[in-house]
Amino acid sequence: MARVPVVVSVKWLAEALASDSQKIRVIDSSWHLPMAKRNARKEYYQQHIPGAVFFDLDDCCDKTTDIPHNLPLSVQFEQYVGNLGVSNEHHVVVYDNNKNFGIFSSQRLWWMFRAFGHDQVSVLDGGLPKWLEADYGWTDDKELEEPQIFKATLRPELVKNFNEVASNLVDKKFQLVDARSAGRFNGTAPEPRPDIKPGHIPGSLNIPFPSIMDPKTKTLKSAKEMTKVFMEAGVDLSQPIVGSCGSGVTACCIALAAFICGKEDVSIYDGAWVEWYLKAKPEQRIQVN
């Protein structure tokens, strides 16, 4: 199967759907922080790209833990996406609906598909807002796809857990890059979850996820521009990298940006700052006063 682009434009998607829609599965993977008071599923039913199905990050996840939307088991992912009409033969295009950033959560599902062995996945640059801006049309129809068989094979090298990140404080085997805002990272701005205080994991570096996007067009920067973002943050793209954030969603922006720059092996600390804050020793939670 031919390699697919990591990012596609709304023009590319419109033309692809017009020419051979059976090979493509479009998925709305919108998700919002609790403080946004938005219901992504409800918004999907009100307006989405024709043919798109909805993926709920808080539904297809590990429900045995209180850590938000951790990766589900392979069999759970298989069943969930299979019921959405996705097979291993499909080119999956993921998008979300956030006009403030262009992408906010779709990169999480992009990473999940890759973590479960499916490389035929692309992110729609600019998401639903850019699609609507180009006047390609939308629908509120409830999309019903025939269930498909999807086989998932976890790539453990793309996922890091608490113990591995804790060991890295001493071993320093990888660079930990946090995608939260500078305020949350430094401990000077509140976390969106009231029971979690801000700060960061010792030794981690900070690249706020909007840094990989053009603030005017709300689309992703070029590989050259992203390489500069990594360099200015002190991140060496030739060395191992692990992405983190609040709960593992915008952390995947680090993996996506690195992938665009040619580094395809960035893993994600799935539990992220929420898990670290709840499990780590107080001295392992850094705040800059």
Side-chain angles (χ1 to χ4, degrees), residues 29-265:
S29 57
S30 300
W31 175 87
H32 308 287
L33 287 166
M35 60 191 295
K37 296 182 180 179
R38 293 178 61 180
N39 186 319
R41 183 183 290 273
K42 183 178 179 180
E43 292 178 3
Y44 161 81
Y45 285 129
Q46 294 170 341
Q47 186 179 54
H48 57 265
I49 294 175
V53 293
F54 184 76
F55 186 103
D56 191 336
L57 292 176
D58 287 327
D59 189 21
C60 185
C61 64
D62 180 359
K63 296 180 180 177
T64 66
T65 176
D66 291 333
I67 308 301
H69 36 253
N70 269 196
L71 272 183
L73 296 175
S74 295
V75 66
Q76 293 172 307
F77 189 78
E78 288 177 344
Q79 183 176 6
Y80 192 95
V81 300
N83 286 338
L84 292 180
V86 179
S87 76
N88 297 92
E89 301 304 312
H90 282 115
H91 175 188
V92 178
V93 178
V94 296
Y95 75 88
D96 63 84
N97 180 14
N98 196 309
K99 63 182 180 182
N100 292 326
F101 301 111
I103 66 166
F104 183 71
S105 57
S106 55
Q107 75 286 342
R108 170 70 184 188
L109 185 54
W110 167 82
W111 172 76
M112 289 177 71
F113 268 107
R114 292 193 61 248
F116 284 117
H118 190 75
D119 288 330
Q120 303 297 106
V121 57
S122 306
V123 173
L124 182 63
D125 202 5
L128 182 62
K130 190 61 67 174
W131 177 271
L132 297 176
E133 180 184 305
D135 199 25
Y136 284 124
W138 57 272
T139 183
D140 59 2
D141 291 343
K142 185 174 182 180
E143 310 291 349
L144 296 174
E145 295 289 350
E146 181 179 347
Q148 301 286 325
I149 295 175
F150 184 92
K151 292 297 182 182
T153 303
L154 180 66
R155 290 167 167 159
E157 69 274 12
L158 293 183
V159 190
K160 296 296 182 186
N161 59 36
F162 176 86
N163 290 334
E164 290 172 306
V165 175
S167 295
N168 194 61
L169 297 180
V170 176
D171 300 341
K172 301 187 185 304
K173 292 181 178 180
F174 54 80
Q175 303 162 96
L176 186 64
V177 184
D178 194 318
R180 290 175 300 154
S181 68
R184 290 170 62 188
F185 180 84
N186 291 324
T188 58
E191 285 291 310
R193 298 168 180 84
D195 56 334
I196 305 295
K197 294 182 180 179
H200 63 266
I201 299 169
S204 57
L205 302 168
N206 185 214
I207 297 181
F209 77 92
S211 301
I212 72 170
M213 302 169 213
D214 185 313
K216 293 183 178 180
T217 65
K218 301 294 192 295
T219 55
L220 291 161
K221 291 180 177 178
S222 67
K224 182 178 180 180
E225 291 171 317
M226 288 189 191
T227 299
K228 183 178 179 182
V229 169
F230 280 109
M231 182 180 67
E232 291 179 346
V235 180
D236 185 348
L237 285 169
S238 69
Q239 298 299 314
I241 297 172
V242 175
S244 184
C245 61
S247 61
V249 176
T250 59
C252 299
C253 284
I254 303 300
L256 177 65
F259 196 103
I260 291 170
C261 294
K263 185 172 181 58
E264 303 180 3
D265 60 353

